[in-house]
Amino acid sequence: MAGINIREARKTDAKKIFELMQQQAIEQNTVLPSHLTHEAVAEGGWGPAAVFMTFVAERKETKEGELVGYILAHRAYSTWEGRAMYIKEIYVVPASRHSGVATNLCKEMLQAAVSMGCNRCDVRVNKANKAAKDLFEKLGAKNLTEAEDWHLFFMDSKAMTEMKARCKGQGPSQVRQAVPEDMAGVMAMIQELADYEKMSDGPKINAHTLVTDSSPDTFFECFVAESDGTLVGYALPYHTFSCQGRGIYMEDLYVKPAHRGQGLGTALMARVAQRGLTLGADHLEFSVLSWNTPSTAFYQARGAINITADRGAQLYRFVDSVMRKCVQ
């Protein structure tokens, strides 16, 4: 770390961050999407609809501030623990590796998460990326894909557009954006989902927490499905950013058992896709427990692919106590 400073990135760093993204893509034998430019990075981090925050590692001795690494994360939400953060990218140039740069970038981001009141931090890692896995495990993150068998799913813009089209012309919509008065009903359904996923003691939040954290420009949005004036389903998404550009993540999708088979799950998911497309997202992501075969079949029938099985994507998690230990 001698001669290297870790600091929060500024808008003027956007072009250099984009260049690091390009270097990372070359190392991984991948290509950045054509719509991802340094202007898009600047907009995603500092524009009026900013999504992510990032820290950079900078050489002190260079006059213009040469960047040798960065970490990028966005706000997330857990219907178990509440406010969360999701680290999407971390990269250090080869010449600066094995010197503590990546570790200190992670610690700065975890400090930011704690300061924002986040209770956990998730990280997506490719199974083949041993260096990243070793780093996060050293810092105390748990591999949820191995421990709990969570699988990550991905839907591209074509599938999102088709999903949106499914619900056109199907009569009056029973899906709308949630309002604060809905959150008690949403909280009750969160508990039902926890019971179904065999984690009855999982939720640690309440309806008041949901109201606070879903106000404008905070952590998540929520859509609800109604039947005869009663809430019977909900979807809870938040907005994301990565080397794939803007995206949207669906933390939960739930419809009460008595109201399944009526198209409400599809309508809720279509509303999430529509919201993402409106804001320039070109992909939708979510996680599913591997034993939940009805949900897996539902999503795959709508164009989602399992990127854990197909591409080796794994989910790691820092819980609150580990985050606080790291930043101390």
Side-chain angles (χ1 to χ4, degrees):
M1 280 292 295
I4 293 177
N5 178 48
I6 306 293
R7 61 168 173 81
E8 189 168 355
R10 301 182 285 265
K11 188 174 182 178
T12 52
D13 296 315
K15 189 172 183 179
K16 294 176 183 177
I17 292 170
F18 177 67
E19 289 169 356
L20 291 176
M21 289 180 173
Q22 290 177 310
Q23 287 181 235
Q24 183 179 20
I26 291 169
E27 281 190 33
Q28 296 175 348
N29 295 313
T30 58
V31 178
L32 297 180
S34 59
H35 58 80
L36 183 64
T37 62
H38 70 85
E39 292 91 352
V41 172
E43 185 70 16
W46 296 273
V51 175
F52 71 84
M53 68 180 301
T54 183
F55 289 88
V56 294
E58 176 184 54
R59 288 196 186 280
K60 294 178 183 177
E61 67 270 18
T62 54
K63 189 173 182 180
E64 294 184 3
E66 177 191 353
L67 300 189
V68 299
Y70 78 102
I71 187 169
L72 181 151
H74 54 72
R75 289 177 296 185
Y77 205 75
S78 161
T79 46
W80 267 228
E81 291 101 353
R83 296 184 178 194
M85 186 169 279
Y86 204 131
I87 296 173
K88 278 296 184 70
E89 308 290 347
I90 181 168
Y91 177 73
V92 177
V93 300
S96 296
R97 292 174 189 167
H98 311 296
S99 61
V101 175
T103 297
N104 281 280
L105 283 168
C106 283
K107 287 183 176 181
E108 285 291 341
M109 189 60 78
L110 292 174
Q111 177 65 70
V114 170
S115 299
M116 292 164 62
C118 297
N119 298 302
R120 79 180 195 198
C121 180
D122 287 349
V123 185
R124 196 177 89 179
V125 182
N126 189 283
K127 188 176 182 179
N129 192 343
K130 185 177 183 301
K133 292 179 68 173
D134 288 347
L135 169 66
F136 295 125
E137 287 172 6
K138 179 186 73 173
L139 291 173
K142 180 180 180 181
N143 187 332
L144 286 196
T145 299
E146 291 182 357
E148 300 178 10
D149 214 7
W150 283 98
H151 283 219
L152 288 158
F153 280 73
F154 180 94
M155 182 178 283
D156 62 20
S157 58
K158 180 181 177 183
M160 290 171 69
T161 302
E162 290 174 355
M163 170 68 68
K164 176 184 170 183
R166 280 173 182 258
C167 294
K168 280 194 173 181
Q170 293 185 2
S173 174
Q174 296 171 277
V175 174
R176 59 172 173 80
Q177 190 151 18
V179 296
E181 291 74 21
D182 294 321
M183 292 308 174
V186 171
M187 189 65 230
M189 289 187 285
I190 288 172
Q191 186 61 56
E192 289 179 25
L193 178 58
D195 295 342
Y196 174 72
E197 292 182 341
K198 305 171 186 175
M199 291 181 270
S200 297
D201 60 347
K204 304 295 189 299
I205 61 172
N206 54 43
H208 176 73
T209 309
L210 291 173
V211 172
T212 301
D213 292 340
S214 62
S215 56
D217 302 320
T218 51
F219 283 79
F220 71 91
E221 296 184 76
C222 186
F223 301 101
V224 293
E226 286 183 306
S227 178
D228 297 325
T230 300
L231 299 188
V232 297
Y234 76 98
L236 191 147
Y238 52 81
H239 301 282
T240 72
F241 199 96
S242 68
C243 280
Q244 295 300 308
R246 284 186 182 267
I248 192 163
Y249 191 98
M250 187 169 64
E251 177 68 14
D252 283 355
L253 174 66
Y254 179 74
V255 176
K256 288 176 174 286
H259 296 272
R260 293 174 189 168
Q262 302 172 15
L264 292 176
T266 299
L268 281 163
M269 196 169 177
R271 189 64 181 269
V272 171
Q274 179 182 11
R275 176 62 172 154
L277 290 167
T278 300
L279 293 181
D282 77 332
H283 61 275
L284 167 63
E285 295 176 296
F286 47 92
S287 303
V288 184
L289 286 160
S290 65
W291 58 259
N292 192 350
T293 51
S295 291
T296 298
F298 172 85
Y299 295 127
Q300 290 178 328
R302 286 151 183 79
I305 60 172
N306 184 336
I307 59 173
T308 293
D310 297 349
R311 303 179 188 175
Q314 294 189 320
L315 181 65
Y316 277 73
R317 176 166 298 161
F318 291 95
V319 297
D320 181 69
S321 58
V322 172
M323 291 167 60
R324 295 180 183 279
K325 183 178 178 181
C326 280
V327 302
Q328 288 170 358

